Amino acid sequence: MAILEVRQLNYVYSAGTPYEKAALRDVSFSVEKGDIVGVIGHTGSGKSTLMQQLNGLLTPMSGQVLLDGRDIWENPKKIRDIRFRVGMVFQYPEYQLFEETVRRDIAFGPRNMGLSEEEIERRVRRAATFAGLREELLEVSPFDLSGGQKRRAAIAGVMAMEPEVLVLDEPTAGLDPRGREQLLSRIVRYARENGTTVLLVSHSMEDVAAVADKVLVMNKGEVAMMAPTAEVFSRAEELQAMGLTVPAVTQIFMKLRDSGYAVGENAYTVEQAVRRLLPLIKGGAAGC
Ligand code: ADP
């Protein structure tokens, strides 16, 4: 069942002025509950505009966003509730930390939801654990955390609202490879254990390949593709024409195939590549 459905959504910035800019054109797609969807597209393709439509930060000019089958604008007075149900982690979310302690920062969203102190405390602990923040860090000032810890605290604040849909805009930007990998696996574990649907906007094809079940490709304000990850990355030429790439391992696989090696299907993660190549290498060695 689709948790999120976008129907023929249109959005224009500065409508009616000389600066008018159509940012979304007839955008339609749906996302199944529990799916992790990678959102990719060249800069300016409309990704941020689209994400801001999903929790009502921007209003459509025409078209609809349905959450669990209901138009999020059905009752505009209740749009605040939608923001609790569709959690948004913006780029560099650590700049939005402002409370005296990490605990209070993570509790900020749940407190706005009007939950009991007991429930807030339960959620703070749970979210901190998923985000990988040790208990003692809850009492320190967010400004005393390391960069990676700040990022995790900010993400924990959104996780603590236990949204049905979690939207993350470039969550690993600026982290080192180890930090990226750890944060991504924490997000995936959180999503799988809570049945949360995730939309992950990323410039990193490697990140998308590592976690996404499906990929939404935006191009010039339109949906260019919405398909399982393997299918999207098998359409390398189309992606390249949109100024996008495929993961490095996929490029290597395509080159191997062009050079006549029987590598079979494309691989888009290192693990897949190893699984496909090992038998070939062993077979080759045995033949020598
Ligand atoms: P992406 O997130 O893929 O980089 P955006 O949604 O930010 O794309 O932008 C889509 C288009 O809308 C771009 O052409 C961009 O220049 C334009 N745009 C984005 N934000 C604004 C704004 N606040 N005012 C006017 N135009 C904007």
Side-chain angles (χ1 to χ4, degrees):
M1 135 115 203
I3 179 87
L4 193 67
E5 195 182 341
V6 173
R7 285 191 190 153
Q8 297 195 302
L9 197 67
N10 285 283
Y11 190 73
V12 179
Y13 284 106
S14 315
T17 77
Y19 304 103
E20 186 167 296
K21 173 80 206 173
L24 297 175
R25 266 182 285 219
D26 272 338
V27 168
S28 298
F29 65 93
S30 62
V31 177
E32 299 296 306
K33 182 171 159 45
D35 265 357
I36 298 183
V37 178
V39 181
I40 63 174
H42 199 270
T43 304
S45 61
K47 304 181 297 296
S48 306
T49 308
L50 177 58
M51 296 306 121
Q52 291 175 68
Q53 293 279 354
L54 301 182
N55 74 345
L57 283 176
L58 292 176
T59 337
M61 305 269 170
S62 65
Q64 288 176 305
V65 176
L66 308 181
L67 180 62
D68 218 1
R70 299 180 76 160
D71 190 331
I72 63 168
W73 287 102
E74 187 179 70
N75 182 352
K77 285 193 192 130
K78 295 224 160 154
I79 200 70
R80 214 171 87 103
D81 296 349
I82 299 297
R83 303 208 175 121
F84 299 140
R85 295 175 62 197
V86 180
M88 197 73 67
V89 177
F90 293 102
Q91 275 185 42
Y92 296 95
E94 54 273 26
Y95 294 129
Q96 290 163 32
L97 297 170
F98 65 96
E99 290 276 8
E100 268 166 48
T101 63
V102 173
R103 178 188 300 282
R104 288 175 64 100
D105 236 310
I106 301 176
F108 183 78
R111 185 153 286 133
N112 272 341
M113 294 169 81
L115 301 170
S116 69
E117 282 304 315
E118 210 181 353
E119 177 64 8
I120 293 173
E121 177 57 21
R122 183 192 73 81
R123 289 183 175 214
V124 168
R125 281 166 177 271
R126 207 163 166 265
T129 307
F130 272 115
L133 291 168
R134 293 187 316 276
E135 176 99 38
E136 61 265 30
L137 289 180
L138 292 177
E139 306 314 326
V140 309
S141 159
F143 303 102
D144 291 333
L145 299 179
S146 72
Q149 287 168 338
K150 278 187 195 153
R151 176 81 50 97
R152 281 184 262 149
I155 293 177
V158 180
M159 286 175 170
M161 295 198 291
E162 300 189 354
E164 289 150 72
V165 179
L166 178 61
V167 179
L168 300 130
D169 193 355
E170 299 280 359
T172 64
L175 301 180
D176 60 29
R178 204 175 130 81
R180 297 174 83 96
E181 204 175 299
Q182 284 180 349
L183 183 59
L184 280 180
S185 62
R186 288 186 181 284
I187 292 168
V188 171
R189 198 163 83 215
Y190 168 84
R192 299 290 189 222
E193 284 186 26
N194 293 278
T196 311
T197 308
V198 173
L199 278 88
L200 175 86
V201 179
S202 182
H203 277 104
S204 163
M205 299 300 150
E206 273 69 26
D207 283 4
V208 170
V211 304
D213 302 306
K214 293 187 184 137
V215 179
L216 170 67
V217 185
M218 293 297 296
N219 186 39
K220 296 181 180 153
E222 295 180 4
V223 173
M225 300 180 205
M226 172 62 169
T229 309
E231 186 186 325
V232 167
F233 286 138
S234 70
R235 295 162 68 179
E237 281 176 12
E238 285 170 73
L239 292 174
Q240 274 158 4
M242 295 173 213
L244 299 170
T245 54
V246 293
V249 278
T250 313
Q251 291 177 34
I252 294 170
F253 256 63
M254 286 163 39
K255 283 211 173 106
L256 284 171
R257 186 175 315 113
D258 289 348
S259 311
Y261 290 94
V263 289
E265 271 175 67
N266 269 339
Y268 53 93
T269 66
V270 173
E271 291 74 33
Q272 282 175 347
V274 170
R275 269 204 308 277
R276 302 245 165 84
L277 289 179
L278 263 186
L280 290 180
I281 295 168
K282 283 184 182 154
C288 287

